[in-house]
């Protein structure tokens, strides 16, 4: 139904579907469930202390015999410790983000690790080629969490990246159905990375209150905020309104940092504080209506992909 291509071959997976390595959502239960369904599950190391990452890696080894990987934001303060654990534990696939691909790619590849880097513009696509990564995730403006400053939508970004590089391209941002997956591949992607849909699954480690709040969201209920710091797509809540008011009042970078404080994403997504927490989710949340297990999500994605292919109008 979905032909094998460069992404399925690169990771030795059944379907070119990658689960985004999302902070506070992507623990071993979610990642192993995705891998067991034939996709590629990723642990979200950005919200894990080093020894917590080691624990999740060891549980992944017990939960699945299929390929899986780890997503590592390169701005993580204990990055050396994380990378050391990844090498020690024999992780085979690493997705890097939030930093230069040149920093760690060579080191990881020396240890036989397949490396993928997340980007939001063509300039970094070229840097990825120079750094020797194996594939690229091109993430459009629609995505949840931290986002590109260019605010380029997925529909515009994927052809731009495809034009720039010969590397395998994984589309991300605004993909939550089989039809959207097909559209991304028609634009030149070799596979898709899906975040919000899996963040709102039964196996996601996000708090139930956050999941229910995101499921109840509608069109226009997420916006990019904190653009002077690092743009992040958030659901509307009390904290969102405080940030919006501060930015409209021309708050300084220092004032915004003080307002953000520490642990906002954990407070909102992991602890379920719907008033004071950062609630990171993509625009596609408006299309997601129910909380389902990963197995049901995969069945729906693949059925919708097949239906979309069969019902495309002939031009």
């Amino acid at each position: 139904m979905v032909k094998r291509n460069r992404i399925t071959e690169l990771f030795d997976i059944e379907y070119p579907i990658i689960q985004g390595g999302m902070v506070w959502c992507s623990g071993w239960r979610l990642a192993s469930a995705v891998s067991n369904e034939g996709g590629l599950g990723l642990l979200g190391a950005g919200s894990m202390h080093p020894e917590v990452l080691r624990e999740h890696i060891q549980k992944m080894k017990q939960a699945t015999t299929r390929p899986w990987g780890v997503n590592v934001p390169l701005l993580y303060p204990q990055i050396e410790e994380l990378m050391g654990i990844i090498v020690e534990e024999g992780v085979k696939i690493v997705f890097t983000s939030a930093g230069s691909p040149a920093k760690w790619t060579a080191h990881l590849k020396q240890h036989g690790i397949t490396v993928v880097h997340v980007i939001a513009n063509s300039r970094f696509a070229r840097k990825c080629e120079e750094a020797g990564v194996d594939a690229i995730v091109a993430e459009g403006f629609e995505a949840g969490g931290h986002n590109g400053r260019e605010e380029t939508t997925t529909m515009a970004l994927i052809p731009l990246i495809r034009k720039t590089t010969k590397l395998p391209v994984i589309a991300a941002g605004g993909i939550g159905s089989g039809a959207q997956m097909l559209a991304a591949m028609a634009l030149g992607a070799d596979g898709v990375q899906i975040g919000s849909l899996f963040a709102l699954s039964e196996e996601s480690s996000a708090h139930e209150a956050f999941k229910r709040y995101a499921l109840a969201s509608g069109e226009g209920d997420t916006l990019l905020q904190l653009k002077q710091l690092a743009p992040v797509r958030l659901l509307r809540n009390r904290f969102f309104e405080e940030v919006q008011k501060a930015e409209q009042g021309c708050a300084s970078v220092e004032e915004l940092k003080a307002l953000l404080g520490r642990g906002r994403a954990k407070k909102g997504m992991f602890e379920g504080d719907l008033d004071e927490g950062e609630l990171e989710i993509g625009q596609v949340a408006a299309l997601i209506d129910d909380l389902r297990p990963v197995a049901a999500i995969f069945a729906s994605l693949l059925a919708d992909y097949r239906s979309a292919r069969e019902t495309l109008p002939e031009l």
Side-chain angles (χ1 to χ4, degrees):
M1 184 167 55
V2 181
K3 292 182 179 179
R4 290 187 67 80
N5 63 16
R6 292 195 294 172
I7 289 299
T8 58
E9 294 291 342
L10 180 63
F11 301 131
D12 192 25
I13 55 179
E14 190 172 356
Y15 306 112
I17 299 172
I18 291 85
Q19 160 246 314
M22 304 163 286
V23 295
W24 306 115
C25 298
S26 306
W28 70 270
R29 289 184 178 86
L30 174 58
S32 63
V34 169
S35 289
N36 285 332
E37 290 299 320
L40 184 73
L42 297 178
L43 295 174
S47 54
M48 298 179 184
H49 293 298
E51 288 308 313
V52 173
L53 174 60
R54 189 187 299 275
E55 176 187 347
H56 279 258
I57 289 172
Q58 292 174 352
K59 287 182 176 179
M60 280 294 291
K61 294 176 182 178
Q62 298 172 1
T64 186
T65 59
R66 296 191 173 190
W68 54 274
V70 177
N71 175 275
V72 182
L74 296 177
L75 297 179
Y76 187 93
Q78 296 169 283
I79 186 69
E80 290 83 4
E81 290 182 58
L82 287 192
M83 292 302 192
I85 288 170
I86 284 168
V87 171
E88 290 169 16
E89 293 290 338
V91 173
K92 301 299 183 186
I93 300 167
V94 169
F95 281 49
T96 55
S97 59
S100 169
K103 289 181 179 178
W104 286 94
T105 297
H107 173 79
L108 292 170
K109 290 180 73 65
Q110 284 173 4
H111 291 277
I113 297 171
T114 298
V115 181
V116 182
H117 193 69
V118 182
I119 61 166
N121 61 53
S122 299
R123 180 170 63 90
F124 266 88
R126 289 187 286 271
K127 288 185 178 293
C128 284
E129 277 198 339
E130 293 168 4
V133 306
D134 297 290
I136 289 171
V137 174
E139 185 176 77
F141 168 74
E142 301 92 329
H146 291 286
N147 219 304
R149 293 186 180 278
E150 298 81 6
E151 301 188 12
T152 307
T153 65
T154 302
M155 179 160 278
L157 181 63
I158 300 308
L160 284 168
I161 301 302
R162 181 73 289 156
K163 184 179 178 180
T164 302
T165 180
K166 291 185 170 68
L167 287 171
V169 175
I170 301 164
I175 300 168
S177 70
Q180 289 166 319
M181 176 179 163
L182 179 62
M185 297 181 81
L187 291 171
D190 300 282
V192 296
Q193 178 174 284
I194 295 175
S196 298
L197 186 61
F198 288 126
L200 304 181
S201 69
E202 289 183 4
E203 290 89 345
S204 163
S205 51
H207 196 282
E208 290 300 304
F210 165 72
K211 293 180 187 179
R212 296 295 176 187
Y213 191 72
L215 287 169
S217 67
E219 183 180 356
D221 283 342
T222 70
L223 285 174
L224 280 190
Q225 296 282 39
L226 297 168
K227 294 182 183 180
Q228 292 187 68
L229 302 181
V232 59
R233 182 171 296 281
L234 301 175
L235 275 168
R236 297 176 185 272
N237 67 348
R238 185 184 301 167
F239 171 67
F240 176 104
E241 292 170 358
E242 291 174 359
V243 171
Q244 191 172 56
K245 182 178 179 181
E247 291 190 322
Q248 289 172 348
C250 301
S252 67
V253 169
E254 290 72 22
E255 289 171 329
L256 290 172
K257 285 181 177 179
L259 178 59
L260 177 62
R262 292 178 61 85
R264 284 279 187 181
K266 180 182 181 183
K267 183 180 289 187
M269 300 164 69
F270 194 68
E271 297 175 354
D273 187 333
L274 302 181
D275 292 322
E276 297 300 330
E278 270 190 321
L279 307 178
E280 301 178 11
I281 204 73
Q283 287 182 336
V284 77
L287 291 169
I288 306 171
D289 299 319
D290 53 359
L291 195 67
R292 294 177 292 168
V294 166
I297 289 172
F298 259 80
S300 176
L301 280 172
L302 296 172
D304 188 47
Y305 179 89
R306 180 179 63 245
S307 176
R309 286 194 63 178
E310 293 173 349
T311 58
L312 275 176
E314 293 187 9
L315 298 179

